[in-house]
Amino acid sequence: MPNNSFENKKRITLTSREISELFAEAIVTIILLLLINVSILVLFSSIINNSPSLNDAIFESRNIFVKNFNSTIFLSGKNILLPLFLLLDAFILSWRIIRRYRQMQLRHIISELHYIAEGNYDHRIPFELRGDLNRIITSINGLVDSTVAAIEEERRIEQSKDELITNVSHDIRTPLTSIIGYLGLIEDRQFHSKEDLLKYTHIAYIKAKQMKSLVEDLFEYTKVRQPDAPISTITFDMVQLLEQLAIDFELEASRKDVEIQIQSEAPQILMTGDTDKLVRVFNNLITNALKYGKNATLIVISIEKIGTEVVIAVKNNGKMIPKHSLDALFNRFYRVEESRSQETGGSGLGLAIAQSIIALHGGYIYAKSNPQWTSFIIHLPLGVKQERKITDK
């Protein structure tokens, strides 16, 4: 971030050496101008003396000025040439001093730029100038800001990749270790009965399914987060889709003594979207409600059309989610119970996938929880407006 030197702008202070340079520039310029003035006067006088016609022309010109301006000041050549030379000399002297001063200002700017280039990215050029130099300073500071932002973004992406690799490695290594261990027992014939053999192969099979589920979730997660992730939109009835999903989960819900209810004021809500991806979202949410809604007896899926969007809430009356966990629920690999056991915690990618799919449809999802209900609320436009800016967490 820029430091206070950028906020508290200041004028450039010249060093004693630079002031001496300006003084020397003024002296040299004055001497050169005096020599040029004398040379011009001598040359002009010589030309006039050697050219009677030119002398007559100048005399006639002076008479015209005297007549028109009603003043005798133009009768003397000194009265005309001396002020003219003084004005020209003052202009040239000012121009050279200002030019040299601008060069010194530019030198200070370059010095500040070198300081930033050495790695001091929290520094900004603090000078307050005018004209083109001020625009240069503003452009340089803006460029440094964007460069720092790009560096920070790159670091964040690298850190995100490292965390992804670490989490995936951990979640794959755990079941893989079990698979290798039990298959090793079978390979070494360290079992005493057919029941032991079947037990070892069953455990290896379950662990392999966990690995397959993680790999599929990871593949889906990376796929839906691509900026050009395709979605195949069709027109469908959201009420009918959710009613069918509720039927699909009836058997699992009855085993856990949980009732699933669909609540909708309208019998039909038509919208466009990718039904395959949206089914994945609601599958995740209902599965989570059944799996993690401890002591829940009811899952309610409410659908409401508000303006140009449809609002869907999937809520259960199970155990409340701690407030500090709500904001992190949609982070990849986050698990509320702090355990990385896949038997209780899943892959940790389900809600991250759901959020990405909703974002692809131009909507958003959030969670809220109280002692009565834990709710996941989705806002979706009736017509798809794909949103490509997906926050990486």
Side-chain angles (χ1 to χ4, degrees):
M1 294 296 293
N3 63 5
N4 291 334
S5 64
F6 179 54
E7 297 174 358
N8 301 325
K9 291 188 175 183
K10 60 183 182 181
R11 304 290 295 177
I12 292 179
T13 302
L14 299 182
T15 63
S16 57
R17 179 181 176 182
E18 289 172 332
I19 294 174
S20 300
E21 287 182 16
L22 280 179
F23 184 73
E25 179 80 12
I27 296 299
V28 171
T29 303
I30 291 172
I31 292 173
L32 290 175
L33 288 174
L34 288 175
L35 292 175
I36 292 172
N37 291 344
V38 171
S39 300
I40 291 175
L41 288 174
V42 171
L43 180 61
F44 190 68
S45 177
S46 175
I47 292 174
I48 291 176
N49 293 332
N50 294 328
S51 178
S53 59
L54 179 59
N55 190 18
D56 293 340
I58 293 173
F59 182 78
E60 289 297 329
S61 299
R62 286 189 300 178
N63 290 336
I64 292 172
F65 277 111
V66 169
K67 183 178 180 181
N68 289 336
F69 289 95
N70 194 24
S71 175
T72 59
I73 189 174
F74 296 101
L75 293 176
S76 174
K78 292 182 180 180
N79 291 336
I80 300 175
L81 294 179
L82 187 58
L84 181 61
F85 278 5
L86 286 176
L87 287 174
L88 289 174
D89 292 348
F91 173 78
I92 294 173
L93 177 62
S94 300
W95 174 75
R96 285 182 62 87
I97 295 297
I98 292 173
R99 187 172 68 93
R100 178 55 63 91
Y101 179 63
R102 293 289 185 186
Q103 291 174 349
M104 292 176 179
Q105 288 180 324
L106 187 59
R107 210 155 57 200
H108 280 263
I109 294 172
I110 293 173
S111 176
E112 293 282 330
L113 186 56
H114 282 308
Y115 179 73
I116 295 173
E118 289 172 357
N120 302 290
Y121 297 122
D122 59 339
H123 182 72
R124 299 294 179 272
I125 300 177
F127 304 135
E128 182 180 7
L129 303 175
R130 296 179 180 177
D132 292 337
L133 288 179
N134 187 64
R135 286 193 289 271
I136 290 173
I137 291 175
T138 302
S139 299
I140 290 174
N141 287 330
L143 179 61
V144 175
D145 286 337
S146 61
T147 302
V148 170
I151 292 174
E152 291 176 352
E153 177 68 11
E154 185 176 355
R155 288 174 180 171
R156 187 186 64 80
I157 292 173
E158 287 299 322
Q159 182 181 2
S160 177
K161 289 180 180 178
D162 292 342
E163 291 174 355
L164 178 62
I165 293 172
T166 300
N167 290 328
V168 170
S169 299
H170 181 281
D171 285 351
I172 288 181
R173 182 178 60 187
T174 302
L176 186 60
T177 301
S178 297
I179 293 171
I180 293 173
Y182 283 105
L183 292 180
L185 292 175
I186 297 173
E187 179 73 16
D188 297 336
R189 298 189 178 277
Q190 295 184 23
F191 53 88
H192 304 289
S193 63
K194 184 179 179 180
E195 287 74 18
D196 288 343
L197 177 61
L198 291 175
K199 176 184 175 181
Y200 295 163
T201 55
H202 177 71
I203 294 175
Y205 173 71
I206 295 299
K207 296 296 181 182
K209 285 182 65 178
Q210 289 178 5
M211 286 183 58
K212 180 175 181 291
S213 176
L214 173 63
V215 171
E216 289 177 346
D217 283 349
L218 184 62
F219 176 74
E220 182 70 18
Y221 174 77
T222 55
K223 185 172 67 173
V224 298
R225 293 188 67 80
Q226 294 297 322
D228 56 348
I231 58 174
S232 303
T233 59
I234 62 171
T235 300
F236 66 97
D237 179 8
M238 178 60 79
V239 177
Q240 182 181 7
L241 183 144
L242 292 174
E243 286 176 345
Q244 183 59 51
L245 278 176
I247 294 173
D248 294 341
F249 279 94
E250 259 185 8
L251 180 59
E252 183 179 351
S254 64
R255 288 174 181 170
K256 297 186 176 183
D257 296 323
V258 176
E259 181 186 358
I260 301 179
Q261 294 182 359
I262 301 293
Q263 297 179 355
S264 175
E265 295 180 355
Q268 186 182 61
I269 298 179
L270 295 178
M271 59 178 296
T272 60
D274 190 324
T275 53
D276 290 338
K277 287 183 169 58
L278 290 175
V279 165
R280 176 66 183 268
V281 171
F282 296 116
N283 272 335
N284 285 344
L285 294 179
I286 297 173
T287 299
N288 284 351
L290 290 171
K291 192 172 185 179
Y292 308 121
K294 295 181 180 180
N295 303 320
T297 59
L298 181 63
I299 296 175
V300 176
I301 304 174
S302 63
I303 316 146
E304 184 181 7
K305 181 181 177 182
I306 302 176
T308 59
E309 66 177 10
V310 58
V311 180
I312 304 128
V314 180
K315 58 184 182 178
N316 68 85
N317 60 350
K319 184 180 177 180
M320 175 181 173
I321 296 177
K323 187 175 181 179
H324 68 271
S325 297
L326 286 177
D327 292 335
L329 280 176
F330 298 96
N331 293 358
R332 63 189 183 197
F333 299 109
Y334 180 80
R335 299 186 179 108
V336 175
E337 81 289 342
E338 303 293 338
S339 167
R340 294 201 64 82
S341 169
Q342 286 184 321
E343 287 80 6
T344 60
S347 69
L349 289 171
L351 290 178
I353 292 171
Q355 184 187 50
S356 298
I357 291 174
I358 296 300
L360 281 175
H361 284 76
Y364 59 95
I365 180 173
Y366 61 94
K368 61 182 183 179
S369 187
N370 56 47
Q372 288 75 40
W373 295 100
T374 293
S375 306
F376 289 85
I377 301 166
I378 299 171
H379 289 248
L380 282 171
L382 294 174
V384 174
K385 297 178 181 178
Q386 294 190 48
E387 177 58 58
R388 296 306 187 189
K389 296 180 180 178
I390 306 172
T391 304
D392 191 7
K393 296 183 180 179

